[in-house]
Amino acid sequence: MYDELDLDMLGDERTALFLIMSDTDGTFAFLISLIYSILFNRLCERADDVYGGRLPIHVRCLIDEAANIGQIPNLEKLMATIRSREISACLVLQAQSQLKALYKDNADTIIGNCDTLLFLGGGNEPTSLEFIVKLLGKETIATRTRGQTKGRSGSSSTNFQQTGRDLMTIDEVRKLDTHKAILFIRGEDPVLDKKYNIKRHPNIKLTTDGKATPYIHKPLGAPDYALPDLPYAFKSLDDYDFIDVEEPEHELSEKEKDFKPDKTE
């Protein structure tokens, strides 16, 4: 058996590896999760055995629809250990509840091992909205109240006090502008910023969105295993004769003919 992927070599030279599966049929989802599991283990072994603990080229795994590829074994441990070896994993999810449904109690550990969290928009899933509100924390508000009484012995008073409120409420997070995102970086205050318009990237001209021709990967010298459907030129169905094959009737053998069932009372 020949290994054509060379997963352990991804950290030796700049390489792009695409793992594509159906977004409606999860029959082969286990293969994607298996490849990721093998990838992380092989790269960690190569980093330790060959390069003294760190790969020369950083390997970044962009795992889109991470909840739909199946469970990656020991992901909660890998997220804490791979980054020291120049390996990172970016998990893209529709909602936090997807991660909890797949990894159960280990979901919080996986999130805790992520140094950066990018919130692109809420929807109506309450668990994710509450999670973002808690991460944002609270802000201090200074308020001033003034009271006045009228009459023969009237008086007035002014009070200053400080109160706390959520930096953003659940309703404010849910109605976040679609052109904005919230970025959380470990040890830093949260950042509310505009999303980057990918169509303004200078290299968009190299993609099909920039009217470039589609990229077809075919390594030099790779054998072509494609075969024509028919070994001869096809012109018309009139050039061929179709034979109706009828299934023969089942003929009883001599033993079956002589067989007589036992009569039981």
Side-chain angles (χ1 to χ4, degrees):
M1 182 177 293
Y2 178 69
D3 181 11
E4 297 180 348
L5 290 179
D6 291 329
L7 296 177
D8 55 343
M9 302 299 293
L10 294 181
D12 287 29
E13 58 183 7
R14 299 183 63 180
T15 307
L17 174 64
F18 296 89
L19 303 177
I20 303 174
M21 60 168 285
S22 171
D23 57 353
T24 57
D25 184 4
T27 303
F28 299 104
F30 73 96
L31 291 176
I32 305 296
S33 60
L34 179 61
I35 290 175
Y36 274 118
S37 179
I38 297 174
L39 170 67
F40 291 139
N41 289 312
R42 294 289 296 274
L43 288 178
C44 288
E45 291 175 359
R46 187 166 182 81
D48 294 339
D49 299 340
V50 180
Y51 297 107
R54 302 181 75 90
L55 294 172
I57 302 295
H58 185 85
V59 178
R60 177 170 298 170
C61 302
L62 303 178
I63 309 177
D64 192 12
E65 296 293 344
N68 296 330
I69 65 171
Q71 186 179 110
I72 301 176
N74 299 320
L75 181 61
E76 68 280 359
K77 297 179 181 178
L78 291 170
M79 293 293 290
T81 57
I82 60 176
R83 52 189 173 187
S84 65
R85 296 173 171 88
E86 287 294 339
I87 308 169
S88 61
C90 177
L91 308 179
V92 182
L93 302 165
Q94 298 290 338
Q96 185 190 6
S97 57
Q98 290 182 320
L99 196 65
K100 287 185 175 293
L102 189 61
Y103 292 95
K104 309 300 180 185
D105 296 336
N106 292 325
D108 293 335
T109 304
I110 294 173
I111 296 175
N113 286 325
C114 296
D115 288 343
T116 305
L117 189 149
L118 181 62
F119 180 71
L120 299 176
N124 297 314
E125 204 273 313
T127 304
S128 298
L129 298 178
E130 293 175 0
F131 176 70
I132 296 300
V133 169
K134 290 181 179 179
L135 287 182
L136 287 170
K138 296 182 179 295
E139 64 176 341
T140 303
I141 301 176
T143 59
R144 181 180 66 178
T145 59
R146 183 177 182 181
Q148 183 178 10
T149 59
K150 296 182 179 181
R152 182 175 297 179
S153 56
S155 64
S156 63
S157 63
T158 303
N159 297 323
F160 294 91
Q161 62 180 1
Q162 291 182 338
T163 60
R165 73 176 293 270
D166 292 329
L167 193 59
M168 293 182 69
T169 64
I170 291 180
D171 187 57
E172 290 171 339
V173 173
R174 183 181 63 83
K175 294 188 294 185
L176 183 68
D177 189 347
T178 55
H179 296 93
K180 294 183 178 181
I182 303 175
L183 176 64
F184 299 91
I185 302 176
R186 185 180 64 175
E188 302 291 341
D189 292 330
V191 178
L192 177 64
D193 203 354
K194 292 182 179 180
K195 298 177 183 177
Y196 182 75
N197 188 352
I198 193 66
K199 292 188 176 181
R200 294 183 179 178
H201 195 281
N203 290 334
I204 191 67
K205 59 185 178 182
L206 303 177
T207 68
T208 54
D209 291 332
K211 298 182 180 180
T213 56
Y215 173 75
I216 300 176
H217 175 68
K218 186 177 181 181
L220 295 176
D224 187 3
Y225 295 106
L227 296 176
D229 292 337
L230 297 175
Y232 41 81
F234 176 80
K235 296 180 179 180
S236 173
L237 291 176
D238 297 334
D239 298 336
Y240 304 94
D241 295 330
F242 295 91
I243 302 175
D244 294 332
V245 179
E246 297 181 356
E247 295 184 359
E249 296 182 357
H250 178 69
E251 297 182 0
L252 296 178
S253 62
E254 296 297 332
K255 292 184 178 180
E256 290 176 334
K257 292 179 180 179
D258 298 336
F259 175 76
K260 295 181 180 181
D262 295 335
K263 297 182 178 180
T264 58
E265 296 182 358

